[in-house]
Amino acid sequence: MLALTNLSNADCDVENVLQNSADTLPTLLRVHELDGIEFMLCAPWDRVMFPPTYIKGVHLMFWPTWVDFWRGDRVALMEEFGSEENIRRYYGSLDTGDWVAAWKENLRQAAECQPHYIIFHVAHNRTSEMYARRFSMSDESVIRATIELVNEIAREIPQGCRLLFENLWWPGLTFREPHLAEMLLERIDYDNAGFMLDVGHLMNTNFDLRSESDGAAYVAKIYHALGALGKRICGVHLHQSLSGAYTREMIHRHMGEFHPLDWRETMDYVRHVDRHEPFRTEAARRIVDMVQPDYLVHEFLHRSRADLEQKLRTQRFALGIL
């Protein structure tokens, strides 16, 4: 099992975590006994700051709202974005062909990193649906659209690289309907595929969880329901999120509201729901021992190097490593 942490080359990570020094990353990995990073490309790749030898996985780019654009549903797009200019700004173009080309370019960039795996988010939601959690798209609709998109770009996937689909709590891959997860793997035109189980995202699908122990029991319930399909989980994004009380409060407060949210409202809501906090108890060990992933990613939202290091120490202690 390779132990990793998540890092991007966005300015916030380069400045706040790596402190603009190429010496920081190897030091972080050595001190916390990590094998490398799961990398997200948000800017031109600086190979000195992010040497390819440390990059074990690449997280592909992600548009939270995309199926309406893929389907050419202009009415839904105008309701969500308000103008063609806003649509163009979000997708980079009004032409889905240009958007698909952007996906292919992202895959070519990922290939240069020579990763063991790449990550594809399988989810869709409109910001107008977030508070009330009343979605216009079913899990199956999002899965079917994902199959279409992946088959459109599959030739650009780096050969020998695993394609891992990640679960979220929006419509799409949630692991609560095993037959849809199975359909996803069966119908894509790429053989070396599996799943990245995001523990916090899975916890976000259950509003009743009150403790890390509750979370581990819920993960176990979902995992065992997958049956043999659970063996296709190749990696785990390990973090915890106990946000059910907040989610319920927002549903109650915004019941009946269906208006698009601006960028700040969206990010504030997502950060309150998807907390990316470290496990502090042995519940973390129970999850890892059960799944036995090839890749264990300590995935956090980190504000600084000190913040990341504290979270790594906390979660590694929970795993019994420290």
Side-chain angles (χ1 to χ4, degrees), residues 166-297:
E166 179 179 346
N167 60 297
L168 279 91
W169 67 96
W170 308 122
L173 178 66
T174 66
F175 288 129
R176 292 183 298 176
E177 297 183 88
H179 72 283
L180 294 180
E182 184 175 19
M183 181 176 74
L184 177 60
L185 294 188
E186 285 182 346
R187 298 192 184 183
I188 58 164
D189 297 332
Y190 192 76
D191 293 332
N192 195 6
F195 300 114
M196 175 65 74
L197 168 62
D198 190 294
V199 174
H201 291 172
L202 185 55
M203 292 173 69
N204 290 339
T205 66
N206 186 335
F207 305 161
D208 295 325
L209 304 180
R210 294 293 179 266
S211 68
E212 292 184 10
S213 183
D214 288 348
Y218 179 62
V219 172
K221 175 184 175 182
I222 297 297
Y223 179 78
H224 292 309
L226 289 172
L229 201 61
K231 299 303 180 184
R232 304 293 293 275
I233 294 175
C234 303
V236 167
H237 282 171
L238 190 64
H239 59 97
Q240 56 97 350
S241 183
L242 294 167
S243 57
Y246 172 81
T247 302
R248 276 208 173 98
E249 176 191 347
M250 296 299 282
I251 290 172
H252 178 74
R253 185 186 303 177
H254 298 280
M255 186 64 66
E257 294 181 14
F258 295 97
H259 60 84
L261 307 182
D262 64 27
W263 179 83
R264 290 179 181 82
E265 291 173 311
T266 299
M267 292 307 298
D268 181 68
Y269 177 78
V270 169
R271 284 172 179 153
H272 277 85
V273 172
D274 191 24
R275 297 182 176 179
H276 282 261
E277 295 179 350
F279 273 88
R280 295 172 173 82
T281 72
E282 52 79 35
R285 182 79 260 168
R286 299 208 308 268
I287 293 169
V288 174
D289 286 346
M290 175 181 63
V291 180
Q292 298 185 7
D294 294 330
Y295 308 101
L296 174 62
V297 186

Side-chain angles (χ1 to χ4, degrees), residues 15 93 162 194 227:
E15 295 172 8
S93 174
R162 286 173 167 174

Side-chain angles (χ1 to χ4, degrees), residues 122-154:
V122 185
H124 162 90
N125 78 290
R126 301 170 185 166
T127 62
S128 56
E129 302 168 346
M130 292 172 68
Y131 286 158
R133 294 280 186 118
R134 294 183 62 183
F135 301 115
S136 56
M137 202 77 64
S138 68
D139 290 343
E140 183 172 349
S141 295
V142 178
I143 294 285
R144 289 186 181 277
T146 298
I147 293 166
E148 294 169 3
L149 175 58
V150 169
N151 287 345
E152 184 76 18
I153 63 177

